[in-house]
Amino acid sequence: MAHPSQLGFQDAASPIMEELLHFHDHALMAVFLISMLVLYIISTLMTTKLSNINTIDAQEIEMVWTIMPAIILIVIALPSLRILYLMDEVSSPDMTMKTIGHQWYWSYEYSDFPNLNFDSYMTSTKDLEPGHFRLLEVDNRMITPIGTVMRILITAEDVLHSWTIPALGVKSDAIPGRLSQTSFLIAHPGVYYGQCSEICGANHSFMPIVIEALPVQKFLKWVTSAQDV
């Protein structure tokens, strides 16, 4: 969960998010080195006493400032392409869920378990319990097991929505008439918060997403109790 004075990202809760954080630091270091080099060149040009009004041929430096940016772009692009491939790769998921965006709440269907589906509405301020976050808590959390490859099928019933969990590195648009697919694996138990990140209407900011990750045995007990209701 993010806090007001936080400068960086949330702690990663999935392998994909860990890769994204590493790539962010990698790209930021490249940008920092480029900025320092440009700043050094500018300061040198402004403070040097040497001047030359004659145009001279300098093929060497032209080759350097042509090849160096290409190398830097390759160094940044290759890790980025690798992560894009990993994010799109969904092989043999252990569990499949379907989430449907409505105005303005989410519906969840557990495809692997019969008669297990529910709606998830934001909890009003007057109904919040101690420790819950205002505008982020819901009445029915999405319960998932840890260490399980989850495939999420995402769509919408009315307008565009976006199913987003920052700590898991998951963001996928919910489009009416189209079924989007994404996947994640939660590494450790916890409660992870997200919101609809698409401007979908008047109550756009009141579509929170809450995932509660449990050990597999506790998850199976929850499934049994939820199906009995």
Side-chain angles (χ1 to χ4, degrees), residues 9-204:
F9 292 97
Q10 298 182 30
D11 293 338
S14 68
I16 290 296
M17 191 58 192
E18 290 180 1
E19 293 288 340
L20 289 172
L21 290 179
H22 292 158
F23 174 70
H24 169 266
D25 296 339
H26 170 75
L28 199 63
M29 183 56 66
V31 172
F32 176 77
L33 293 175
I34 294 171
S35 301
M36 291 297 99
L37 176 61
V38 173
L39 180 62
Y40 170 75
I41 294 174
I42 292 175
S43 61
T44 302
L45 291 175
M46 293 180 64
T47 57
T48 184
K49 296 181 180 179
L50 300 177
S51 61
N52 193 334
I53 61 175
N54 297 320
T55 302
I56 59 174
D57 188 16
Q59 294 185 358
E60 293 81 4
I61 190 62
E62 290 179 358
M63 290 181 60
V64 170
W65 68 42
T66 301
I67 295 175
M68 279 188 61
I71 295 175
I72 294 172
L73 289 176
I74 292 174
V75 169
I76 295 176
L78 290 181
S80 175
L81 293 174
R82 173 178 171 270
I83 296 176
L84 284 175
Y85 176 80
L86 291 175
M87 294 177 69
D88 288 336
E89 182 70 16
V90 183
S91 58
S92 301
D94 301 316
M95 187 174 157
T96 300
M97 289 192 60
K98 184 178 181 182
T99 176
I100 305 171
H102 307 269
Q103 290 179 315
W104 282 274
Y105 64 96
W106 296 97
S107 295
Y108 298 104
E109 300 176 4
Y110 289 72
S111 304
D112 299 303
F113 303 97
N115 303 321
L116 184 54
N117 55 80
F118 53 84
D119 297 332
S120 180
Y121 291 85
M122 187 191 75
T123 303
S124 60
T125 303
K126 60 183 176 58
D127 296 327
L128 288 174
E129 298 180 5
H132 286 177
F133 297 99
R134 187 171 84 70
L135 303 182
L136 286 177
E137 193 57 59
V138 296
D139 55 355
N140 292 309
R141 293 175 173 178
M142 174 181 167
I143 310 296
T144 62
I146 62 172
T148 302
V149 179
M150 301 283 299
R151 175 173 58 187
I152 308 296
L153 304 177
I154 304 169
T155 188
E157 188 184 57
D158 33 55
V159 298
L160 291 175
H161 300 283
S162 186
W163 199 78
T164 307
I165 304 290
L168 303 180
V170 176
K171 183 180 185 296
S172 181
D173 287 341
I175 304 172
R178 178 176 177 178
L179 205 60
S180 302
Q181 175 178 280
T182 187
S183 64
F184 60 82
L185 184 150
I186 301 179
H188 47 265
V191 180
Y192 307 100
Y193 294 88
Q195 285 181 306
C196 174
S197 55
E198 191 75 53
I199 302 178
C200 58
N203 291 332
H204 148 72

Side-chain angles (χ1 to χ4, degrees), residues 211-223:
I211 295 181
E212 184 174 352
L214 301 175
V216 176
Q217 295 299 326
K218 290 185 178 181
F219 170 76
L220 294 176
K221 289 182 180 179
W222 173 84
V223 169

